[in-house]
Amino acid sequence: MTEAVIFDLDGTLLNTCDDLGAALNHTLSLHGFAQVAKERYSPAISNGVKALLEVGFGTELEKLDQALLRQQVLDHYAQNIAVHSHCFDGVNALLEGLESKGISVAIMTNKPTFLTLPLLTKIPELAHIQVIVCGDTLDEAKPSPKPLLHAAAQLKVDARNCVYVGDAERDIQAACAAEMRSVTALWGYIPSKSIALSWGADLNLTNPEALLKHI
């Protein structure tokens, strides 16, 4: 019995690709590097700032001050956090469908609190979600199951009655470790469909609304 659905944020509920890509390209321009096209940076987004820097700077990254570069990306992103970001098509219908079924909803993201909370204030469709667990809420982040178990506890729901939806391998690993049903968001920032299917999620869905048929 499904009592709650917990969602990853970037690449699952929200399409934040253009804002994060803009932060990367801004940093690249500061250091005289060429801009990176969307098709190159988008698969890296769910893996954090370091993965973005690796895409942008390539083999030159190890020669540079990575802490500085990371901060420059984060600063630009924080100042322009929701210029282009929006919910993926079908997310609002999914959330409304879950509410109509009496199923609780939460967000568990590895994004840090100082970015997550300001971003969510800019997205009206997500404003009603009360339980939000970030990458720095606890002492461990995904793929550790701890944040997911914490989210379930906040919802007052047994973890085994939860579904976790995400678009990265660590999302599926965390769900499995937490004994939650796992769903890969194939509409997100997956490296490729074949790779995503190899993660072994319980469900692999191509659009958000499809989840309602499996609840």
Side-chain angles (χ1 to χ4, degrees), residues 57-149:
F57 290 91
T59 57
E60 295 298 306
L61 182 60
E62 61 186 31
K63 304 173 187 176
L64 301 170
D65 184 342
Q66 294 183 40
L68 172 64
L69 297 177
R70 182 178 186 277
Q71 194 59 51
Q72 289 173 333
V73 169
L74 290 174
D75 287 347
H76 187 274
Y77 179 58
Q79 293 163 15
N80 303 274
I81 201 162
V83 176
H84 303 292
S85 294
H86 59 276
C87 286
F88 284 99
D89 291 343
V91 162
N92 199 40
L94 168 58
L95 295 175
E96 289 177 350
L98 293 173
E99 183 177 4
S100 72
K101 291 174 178 284
I103 294 171
S104 300
V105 171
I107 291 172
M108 193 286 112
T109 174
N110 271 7
K111 204 181 194 83
T113 303
F114 83 96
L115 293 174
T116 300
L117 297 186
L119 173 58
L120 291 175
T121 66
K122 307 285 188 181
I123 310 297
E125 299 93 328
L126 306 181
H128 67 288
I129 298 177
Q130 298 298 308
V131 174
I132 301 163
V133 180
C134 302
D136 54 356
T137 299
L138 304 178
D139 60 350
E140 294 181 19
K142 297 178 292 187
S144 167
K146 282 187 177 181
L148 285 179
L149 294 172

Side-chain angles (χ1 to χ4, degrees), residues 190-208:
I190 58 172
S192 72
K193 185 175 180 180
S194 61
I195 291 175
L197 293 177
S198 76
W199 299 337
D202 296 307
L203 287 172
N204 298 279
L205 302 179
T206 56
N207 68 84

